[in-house]
């Protein structure tokens, strides 16, 4: 249930007029009075509404979509969201904050003031159940791709761990590689951690030890992808294959391999994650994990509707697909 101005007034023992003056700065009040009101606002998770007309109607028909970047993954997901939202007569407000929790919080506050009907967001690291409580109390929310501990039922994700196991197993079982490394984005978010865990699980299941010098990470950028590839090659001259869990890291890794005149897959095999348009120009054809981006967007709207209707439950992970090309060592593409 939404927290109202009257609730704040009752909680702090002051009139609604005084509370309103504090929140809108329309009249000078004593310091202790202001602190008392703000403490109640924080405790109750009250968020002022920007429009009295919207408050009266109870509907803004606005959906907020918060991403961490305008990369092809989120662009395609957004397309799926937009198609479904328009069919329902909802308007979309889109924001991109990068991996900045303060920027995300500011955007969420703005959406609350506009009485957004719901919010679909990719939460960056640092969010907790307690920090999100004030937003969950005021609107419906769906978390894309990333899990927040204790709020798993609000998450729409893909089978990152399972598909990573499948990818590494392909390198092991189909090509008999043993010296396999991984480059992942150390962003402290669940999707990347799941991909790393999938790699480790496959290696251990095959009876191979997981060595620290075969694990390299970056911040998800091209530059750190190149540095991570350099580290793997410098520390493991006999490395046979590498699983790269982010397309920006993949570009960086390719840059380092080209710099060293390494041939793919003759010198080192590669499997990447997430399809991008430029990949069709790669030769040999890349072996890549494809996410069902359009369906993720469509399902996000459906899950938001379920939550608004009080039918929230943990959603089964959507299935990613391993598309076999030639960079893994396969001679002919199966696409």
């Amino acid at each position: 249930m939404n927290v109202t101005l009257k609730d704040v007034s009752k909680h702090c023992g002051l009139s609604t007029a005084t509370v309103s003056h504090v929140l809108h700065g329309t009249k000078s009040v004593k310091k202790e009075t202001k602190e008392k009101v703000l403490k109640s606002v924080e405790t109750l998770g009250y968020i002022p509404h920007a429009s009295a007309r919207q408050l009266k109607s109870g509907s803004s028909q606005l959906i907020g979509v918060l991403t961490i970047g305008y990369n092809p993954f989120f662009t395609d997901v957004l397309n799926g969201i937009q198609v479904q939202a328009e069919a329902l007569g909802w308007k979309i407000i889109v924001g991109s904050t990068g991996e900045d929790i303060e920027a995300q919080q500011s955007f969420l506050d703005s959406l609350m003031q506009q009485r957004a009907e719901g919010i679909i967001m990719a939460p960056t690291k640092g969010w907790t159940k307690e920090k999100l409580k004030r937003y969950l109390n005021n609107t419906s929310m769906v978390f894309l791709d990333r899990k927040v501990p204790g709020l798993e039922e609000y998450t729409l994700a893909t089978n990152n761990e399972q598909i990573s196991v499948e990818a590494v197993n392909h390198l092991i079982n189909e090509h008999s590689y043993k010296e396999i490394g991984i480059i992942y984005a150390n962003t402290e978010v669940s999707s990347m951690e799941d991909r790393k865990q999938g790699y480790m699980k496959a290696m251990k299941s095959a009876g191979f030890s997981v060595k620290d010098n075969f694990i390299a990470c970056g911040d998800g950028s091209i530059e750190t992808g190149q540095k991570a590839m350099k580290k793997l090659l410098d520390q493991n001259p006999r490395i046979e294959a590498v699983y790269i869990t982010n397309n920006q890291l993949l570009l960086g890794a390719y840059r380092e391999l080209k710099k060293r005149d390494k041939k793919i897959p003759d010198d080192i095999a590669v499997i990447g994650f997430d399809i991008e348009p430029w990949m069709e120009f790669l030769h040999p054809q890349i072996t890549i994990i494809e996410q069902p981006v359009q369906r993720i967007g469509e399902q996000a709207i459906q899950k938001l509707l379920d939550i608004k209707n009080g039918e929230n439950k943990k959603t089964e992970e959507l299935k990613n697909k391993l598309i076999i090309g030639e960079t893994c060592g396969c001679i002919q593409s199966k696409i």
Side-chain angles (χ1 to χ4, degrees), residues 92-122:
I92 296 177
I93 300 176
V94 181
S96 178
T97 61
E99 299 286 359
D100 185 339
I101 189 172
E102 291 184 1
Q104 287 201 331
Q105 184 173 339
S106 177
F107 189 78
L108 289 177
D109 287 342
S110 175
L111 290 173
M112 291 294 94
Q113 291 173 17
Q114 296 177 71
R115 291 185 59 77
E117 291 284 309
I119 295 170
I120 298 170
M121 68 179 287

Side-chain angles (χ1 to χ4, degrees), residues 12 268 334:
C12 66
I268 184 170
K334 297 180 182 178

Side-chain angles (χ1 to χ4, degrees), residues 95-320:
S96 178
T97 61
E99 299 286 359
D100 185 339
I101 189 172
E102 291 184 1
Q104 287 201 331
Q105 184 173 339
S106 177
F107 189 78
L108 289 177
D109 287 342
S110 175
L111 290 173
M112 291 294 94
Q113 291 173 17
Q114 296 177 71
R115 291 185 59 77
E117 291 284 309
I119 295 170
I120 298 170
M121 68 179 287
T124 188
K125 66 178 179 180
W127 282 113
T128 63
K129 182 178 181 179
E130 189 61 33
K131 288 180 181 178
L132 286 163
K133 182 179 178 181
R134 62 193 294 252
Y135 303 111
L136 290 166
N137 285 343
N138 284 275
T139 194
S140 303
M141 299 185 77
V142 171
F143 305 134
L144 280 180
D145 192 45
R146 300 162 169 203
K147 303 165 189 171
V148 177
L151 296 174
E152 288 80 6
E153 69 272 23
Y154 292 89
T155 303
L156 183 66
T158 60
N159 61 336
N160 285 294
E161 182 174 328
Q162 182 182 337
I163 197 65
S164 296
V165 170
E166 183 180 335
V168 178
N169 276 343
H170 176 79
L171 294 172
I172 295 170
N173 299 328
E174 298 299 322
H175 301 287
S176 300
Y177 296 133
K178 297 179 180 179
E179 305 294 307
I180 304 170
I182 181 174
I183 297 176
Y184 74 103
N186 187 23
T187 53
E188 299 180 33
V189 293
S190 61
S191 54
M192 285 297 163
E193 184 61 26
D194 287 347
R195 294 171 197 178
K196 176 186 173 185
Q197 289 301 317
Y199 159 81
M200 297 174 69
K201 187 175 182 179
M203 293 294 285
K204 290 178 180 177
S205 294
F208 303 146
S209 59
V210 177
K211 305 170 186 176
D212 289 341
N213 58 316
F214 276 83
I215 299 175
C217 65
D219 61 10
S221 66
I222 294 174
E223 292 73 21
T224 58
Q226 183 173 1
K227 290 178 181 178
M229 190 72 254
K230 181 180 184 301
K231 173 191 171 184
L232 290 181
L233 292 171
D234 288 345
Q235 295 184 359
N236 310 285
R238 298 176 61 185
I239 189 169
E240 298 171 296
V242 60
Y243 170 44
I244 306 172
T245 65
N246 164 291
N247 47 39
Q248 293 291 94
L249 295 174
L250 179 69
L251 273 173
Y254 263 65
R255 180 184 290 174
E256 183 64 22
L257 292 172
K258 182 180 179 181
K259 181 180 177 182
R260 298 186 183 219
D261 199 28
K262 293 286 186 180
K263 300 295 186 295
I264 303 172
D266 296 343
D267 297 325
I268 184 170
V270 174
I271 291 182
F273 205 109
D274 272 339
I275 288 180
E276 291 213 37
W278 52 263
M279 290 180 178
E280 67 177 289
F281 302 107
L282 291 178
H283 180 76
Q285 190 174 34
I286 191 165
T287 297
I288 198 81
I289 291 171
E290 179 183 32
Q291 298 196 78
V293 285
Q294 183 79 16
R295 188 159 175 244
I296 291 172
E298 295 169 354
Q299 288 289 100
I301 289 292
Q302 183 57 55
K303 186 168 181 62
L304 195 63
L305 278 173
D306 290 343
I307 293 172
K308 286 175 68 64
N309 293 329
E311 300 174 1
N312 189 24
K313 59 183 179 180
K314 191 172 181 180
T315 305
E316 183 178 348
E317 293 180 333
L318 299 179
K319 300 295 188 290
N320 294 316

Side-chain angles (χ1 to χ4, degrees), residues 42-61:
E42 182 178 358
T43 300
L44 297 176
Y46 173 71
I47 299 174
H49 297 136
S51 170
R53 183 177 62 81
Q54 289 177 358
L55 180 60
K56 184 177 180 180
S57 67
S59 175
S60 66
Q61 294 186 309

